[in-house]
């Protein structure tokens, strides 16, 4: 049933926002386009921005709150989208679930594995649904590779190589350089996107152990902050996250994923280079080019699809939010369940813990 037809027979889901900053704008666009969703409220400490968002998307000013608890109590929304800094994901999500709302929370799921488990427990106790904002798994390239795995093209997937690298790409806005608010740097901010796509493509196996290394040598340097770059001039004095992180994760099926991620590193490309490769017993693939690698009739073969759908930034949010809404309305499969968010957090936490222990392997429970 189409969203338009279903909205004629079922009341629209009443949606509210906690956090109205940059990433929330994409959520607003995606939800505001749907006939089966009505945006009824927003909560943010930045009153000026919040009121501007309300006016832009036709939300009554009475729906604006600086206290998200007050918003939840007053509006009792069906759906809450959490678009706040990482340190607030868990309290925002748990409060929303306890208030009776379904929740979609931006990535990463939380700051710690313990917080993720508390969020899942709150969802189970309240009998509400919790979705994680892993939008890149809806990319046509990711979906293409997923279909190849499901069809058996790769055989047994044994290895994934993941990278999300910036030469000088420390955000000069927000709190991306503050570990106490973000939980980490490039690994938890951009590395998580490529890692979750690769893990998803490989069938979401259970992680059992990880090793890692992190280093900071550019982000906390005043001289580096003045190097000519698109995002020059970040707050180097409050910078406490890593510049570069690398890690290796083992899974219960014997597979391994290696990841490299940087905000600032001396490598060849300017801008963000995000990609992953998978290698199996029968074939392999590269995400960015949608190339497939296998043997056929005595030859090593590289092939690509003749066509994949075009995809823009807002399309990611249309698809991930649309998937969650369809799940709530029809019971269709959820594309990014909370259990996947927990596994990603386990990987990230173990890599960081290993780095703190000089690269010692850390077991994942």
């Amino acid at each position: 049933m189409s969203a338009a037809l279903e909205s004629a027979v079922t009341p629209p889901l009443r949606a509210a926002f906690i956090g109205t900053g940059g990433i929330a704008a994409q959520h607003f666009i995606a939800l505001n386009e749907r006939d089966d969703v009505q945006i009824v409220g927003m909560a943010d400490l930045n009153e000026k921005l919040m009121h501007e968002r309300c006016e832009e998307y036709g939300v009554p000013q009475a729906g604006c709150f600086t206290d998200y608890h007050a918003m939840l109590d007053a509006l009792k929304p069906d759906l809450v989208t959490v678009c706040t800094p990482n340190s607030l994901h868990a309290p925002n999500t748990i409060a929303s679930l306890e208030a009776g709302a379904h929740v979609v929370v931006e990535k990463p799921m939380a700051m710690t594995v313990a917080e993720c488990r508390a969020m899942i427990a709150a969802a189970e106790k309240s009998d509400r649904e919790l979705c994680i904002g892993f939008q890149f798994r809806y990319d046509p390239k990711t979906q293409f590779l997923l279909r190849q795995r499901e069809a058996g093209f790769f055989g047994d997937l044994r290895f994934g190589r993941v990278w999300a690298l910036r030469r000088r790409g420390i955000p000069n806005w927000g709190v991306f350089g503050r570990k106490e608010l973000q939980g980490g740097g490039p690994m938890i901010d951009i590395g998580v996107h490529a890692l979750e796509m690769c893990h998803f493509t490989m069938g979401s196996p259970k992680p059992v152990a990880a090793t890692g290394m992190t280093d900071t040598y550019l982000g906390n340097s005043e001289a580096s902050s003045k190097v000519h770059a698109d995002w020059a001039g970040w707050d180097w004095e409050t910078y406490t996250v890593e510049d570069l992180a690398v890690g290796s994760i083992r899974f219960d099926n014997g597979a391994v994923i290696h990841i490299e991620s940087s905000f600032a590193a001396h490598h060849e490309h300017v801008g963000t280079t995000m990609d992953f490769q998978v290698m199996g017993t029968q074939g392999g693939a590269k995400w960015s080019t949608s190339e497939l690698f296998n043997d056929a009739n005595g030859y090593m073969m590289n092939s690509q699809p003749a066509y994949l759908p075009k995809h823009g930034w807002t399309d990611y949010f249309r698809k991930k939010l649309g998937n969650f809404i369809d799940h709530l309305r029809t019971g269709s499969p959820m594309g990014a369940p909370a259990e996947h968010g927990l596994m990603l957090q386990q990987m990230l936490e173990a890599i960081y813990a290993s780095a703190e222990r000089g690269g010692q392997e850390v077991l994942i429970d």
Side-chain angles (χ1 to χ4, degrees):
M1 184 181 294
S2 70
L5 181 57
E6 185 162 334
S7 67
V9 297
T10 306
L13 289 169
R14 300 171 66 256
F17 282 72
I18 302 178
T20 61
I23 203 69
Q26 298 298 325
H27 289 239
F28 289 132
I29 293 169
L31 292 182
N32 204 47
E33 293 175 345
R34 296 186 65 103
D35 295 327
D36 55 356
V37 176
Q38 178 187 7
I39 302 174
V40 297
M42 303 180 188
D44 201 311
L45 293 175
N46 186 335
E47 292 188 70
K48 181 177 182 296
L49 175 61
M50 176 174 57
H51 286 290
E52 288 174 354
R53 297 286 196 208
C54 282
E55 183 175 350
E56 183 176 2
Y57 293 99
V59 179
Q61 293 296 322
C64 293
F65 294 82
T66 54
D67 182 340
Y68 68 90
H69 292 286
M71 180 192 72
L72 294 170
D73 289 341
L75 301 180
K76 295 179 173 52
D78 303 308
L79 169 66
V80 170
T81 175
V82 174
C83 300
T84 50
N86 298 346
S87 61
L88 299 176
H89 285 185
N92 293 163
T93 296
I94 291 170
S96 299
L97 291 166
E98 290 176 344
H102 304 289
V103 177
V104 56
V105 59
E106 269 298 327
K107 62 80 198 164
M109 185 174 176
M111 293 277 280
T112 66
V113 169
E115 286 184 344
C116 292
R117 287 184 169 139
M119 294 159 75
I120 291 173
E124 292 173 347
K125 184 177 180 179
S126 62
D127 195 26
R128 300 290 89 181
E129 298 286 353
L130 174 58
C131 177
I132 314 304
F134 291 148
Q135 63 260 19
F136 281 99
R137 60 180 54 185
Y138 302 102
D139 188 291
K141 298 187 295 296
T142 313
Q143 292 294 310
F144 168 69
L145 297 186
L146 184 65
R147 298 289 87 77
Q148 305 313 305
R149 178 182 64 78
E150 292 173 342
F153 176 85
F154 301 117
D156 183 13
L157 279 166
R158 308 304 300 154
F159 178 66
R161 179 185 170 224
V162 175
W163 58 101
L165 301 169
R166 292 175 181 164
R167 183 165 179 170
R168 201 69 98 250
I170 301 170
N172 54 14
W173 68 92
V175 295
F176 293 94
R178 298 177 60 181
K179 187 174 183 178
E180 74 276 14
L181 297 177
Q182 288 295 99
M187 180 68 76
I188 206 168
D189 182 49
I190 57 176
V192 65
H193 282 308
L195 179 58
E196 73 89 3
M197 282 194 291
C198 184
H199 182 240
F200 183 56
T201 298
M202 293 178 72
S204 302
K206 184 181 184 299
V208 295
T211 58
M213 178 278 282
T214 63
D215 208 350
T216 303
Y217 46 89
L218 293 172
N220 57 359
S221 162
E222 181 179 13
S224 291
S225 74
K226 295 179 179 179
V227 170
H228 293 289
D230 287 345
W231 295 346
W234 64 86
D235 188 355
W236 62 273
E237 293 181 292
T238 63
Y239 187 86
T240 54
V241 301
E242 77 276 6
D243 294 331
L244 172 68
V246 299
S248 186
I249 306 144
R250 290 194 295 112
F251 298 91
D252 62 352
N253 62 356
V256 171
I257 289 178
H258 179 77
I259 180 171
E260 309 162 14
S261 188
S262 69
F263 272 165
H266 295 300
H267 66 100
E268 69 270 33
H269 298 295
V270 176
T272 301
T273 304
M274 186 168 73
D275 210 344
F276 71 88
Q277 289 182 283
V278 292
M279 303 177 196
T281 56
Q282 298 296 321
K286 185 176 182 180
W287 178 76
S288 63
T289 59
S290 301
E291 287 180 280
L292 299 177
F293 315 120
N294 70 323
D295 297 339
N297 305 314
Y299 292 89
M300 293 181 288
M301 303 291 291
N302 294 7
S303 59
Q304 291 175 287
Y307 172 80
L308 285 177
K310 301 295 182 183
H311 208 68
W313 182 239
T314 302
D315 292 320
Y316 290 122
F317 295 86
R318 290 188 180 106
K319 288 187 176 182
K320 80 174 181 181
L321 291 167
N323 170 270
F324 189 41
I325 292 165
D326 290 343
H327 169 74
L328 295 177
R329 288 198 173 279
T330 70
S332 58
M334 190 193 304
E339 290 73 21
H340 287 191
L342 171 61
M343 285 193 286
L344 262 292
Q345 196 73 40
Q346 288 175 315
M347 296 181 224
L348 296 170
E349 191 167 293
I351 289 171
Y352 281 128
S354 173
E356 290 177 357
R357 300 175 193 178
Q360 177 184 338
E361 185 176 69
V362 171
L363 298 180
I364 297 172
D365 182 9

